[in-house]
Short mmCIF file of all heavy atoms in Angstrom, two decimals:
data_model
loop_
_atom_site.label_atom_id
_atom_site.label_comp_id
_atom_site.label_asym_id
_atom_site.label_seq_id
_atom_site.Cartn_x
_atom_site.Cartn_y
_atom_site.Cartn_z
N VAL A 164 20.72 55.00 -25.37
CA VAL A 164 20.13 56.34 -25.41
C VAL A 164 20.32 56.98 -24.04
O VAL A 164 20.17 56.33 -23.01
CB VAL A 164 18.64 56.30 -25.82
CG1 VAL A 164 17.77 55.56 -24.82
CG2 VAL A 164 18.09 57.72 -26.02
N LEU A 165 20.71 58.26 -24.04
CA LEU A 165 20.82 59.00 -22.79
C LEU A 165 19.48 59.65 -22.50
O LEU A 165 18.83 60.17 -23.40
CB LEU A 165 21.91 60.08 -22.90
CG LEU A 165 23.32 59.67 -22.47
CD1 LEU A 165 23.79 58.45 -23.22
CD2 LEU A 165 24.29 60.80 -22.65
N ALA A 166 19.06 59.60 -21.25
CA ALA A 166 17.80 60.22 -20.88
C ALA A 166 17.99 61.01 -19.61
O ALA A 166 18.70 60.57 -18.70
CB ALA A 166 16.73 59.15 -20.68
N GLY A 167 17.36 62.16 -19.52
CA GLY A 167 17.48 62.95 -18.30
C GLY A 167 17.07 64.39 -18.54
O GLY A 167 16.97 64.85 -19.67
N GLN A 168 16.86 65.09 -17.44
CA GLN A 168 16.46 66.48 -17.51
C GLN A 168 17.51 67.34 -18.17
O GLN A 168 18.70 67.00 -18.16
CB GLN A 168 16.23 67.03 -16.10
CG GLN A 168 14.95 66.59 -15.46
CD GLN A 168 14.90 67.06 -14.02
OE1 GLN A 168 15.38 66.37 -13.13
NE2 GLN A 168 14.35 68.23 -13.80
N SER A 169 17.10 68.48 -18.65
CA SER A 169 18.04 69.44 -19.21
C SER A 169 18.98 69.92 -18.10
O SER A 169 18.53 70.18 -16.99
CB SER A 169 17.26 70.63 -19.78
OG SER A 169 18.15 71.55 -20.34
N GLY A 170 20.27 69.95 -18.39
CA GLY A 170 21.23 70.47 -17.43
C GLY A 170 21.86 69.45 -16.50
O GLY A 170 22.70 69.79 -15.68
N VAL A 171 21.46 68.17 -16.62
CA VAL A 171 22.04 67.16 -15.73
C VAL A 171 23.46 66.79 -16.16
O VAL A 171 24.23 66.24 -15.36
CB VAL A 171 21.17 65.87 -15.63
CG1 VAL A 171 19.86 66.15 -14.92
CG2 VAL A 171 20.96 65.23 -16.99
N GLY A 172 23.79 67.07 -17.42
CA GLY A 172 25.16 66.80 -17.88
C GLY A 172 25.29 65.66 -18.88
O GLY A 172 26.36 65.04 -18.96
N LYS A 173 24.27 65.41 -19.66
CA LYS A 173 24.33 64.33 -20.65
C LYS A 173 25.41 64.59 -21.70
O LYS A 173 26.25 63.74 -21.97
CB LYS A 173 22.95 64.16 -21.35
CG LYS A 173 21.83 63.78 -20.41
CD LYS A 173 20.49 63.67 -21.12
CE LYS A 173 19.98 64.98 -21.70
NZ LYS A 173 19.75 66.05 -20.70
N SER A 174 25.38 65.79 -22.28
CA SER A 174 26.37 66.11 -23.31
C SER A 174 27.76 66.21 -22.70
O SER A 174 28.75 65.83 -23.34
CB SER A 174 26.00 67.42 -24.00
OG SER A 174 24.69 67.35 -24.54
N THR A 175 27.84 66.68 -21.48
CA THR A 175 29.14 66.77 -20.78
C THR A 175 29.76 65.38 -20.63
O THR A 175 30.96 65.22 -20.84
CB THR A 175 28.95 67.44 -19.40
OG1 THR A 175 28.40 68.75 -19.60
CG2 THR A 175 30.27 67.55 -18.65
N ILE A 176 28.95 64.40 -20.30
CA ILE A 176 29.46 63.02 -20.17
C ILE A 176 30.06 62.57 -21.49
O ILE A 176 31.17 62.03 -21.54
CB ILE A 176 28.31 62.06 -19.77
CG1 ILE A 176 27.87 62.32 -18.34
CG2 ILE A 176 28.74 60.59 -19.95
CD1 ILE A 176 26.62 61.56 -17.92
N LEU A 177 29.32 62.80 -22.58
CA LEU A 177 29.81 62.35 -23.89
C LEU A 177 31.08 63.09 -24.28
O LEU A 177 32.00 62.51 -24.84
CB LEU A 177 28.72 62.48 -24.95
CG LEU A 177 27.50 61.58 -24.74
CD1 LEU A 177 26.53 61.68 -25.91
CD2 LEU A 177 27.92 60.11 -24.56
N ASN A 178 31.15 64.39 -23.98
CA ASN A 178 32.38 65.14 -24.27
C ASN A 178 33.56 64.63 -23.45
O ASN A 178 34.69 64.60 -23.92
CB ASN A 178 32.18 66.63 -23.99
CG ASN A 178 31.40 67.32 -25.11
OD1 ASN A 178 31.31 66.81 -26.23
ND2 ASN A 178 30.84 68.47 -24.81
N THR A 179 33.29 64.20 -22.22
CA THR A 179 34.37 63.69 -21.36
C THR A 179 34.93 62.39 -21.92
O THR A 179 36.14 62.18 -21.94
CB THR A 179 33.83 63.44 -19.92
OG1 THR A 179 33.30 64.66 -19.42
CG2 THR A 179 34.92 62.95 -18.99
N ILE A 180 34.06 61.53 -22.38
CA ILE A 180 34.53 60.22 -22.85
C ILE A 180 34.87 60.21 -24.33
O ILE A 180 35.56 59.31 -24.79
CB ILE A 180 33.50 59.09 -22.53
CG1 ILE A 180 32.18 59.31 -23.28
CG2 ILE A 180 33.25 59.00 -21.03
CD1 ILE A 180 31.18 58.19 -23.08
#
Side-chain angles (χ1 to χ4, degrees):
V164 64
L165 269 55
Q168 284 174 272
S169 181
V171 293
K173 299 178 295 299
S174 303
T175 301
I176 290 172
L177 295 185
N178 282 341
T179 303
I180 63 176

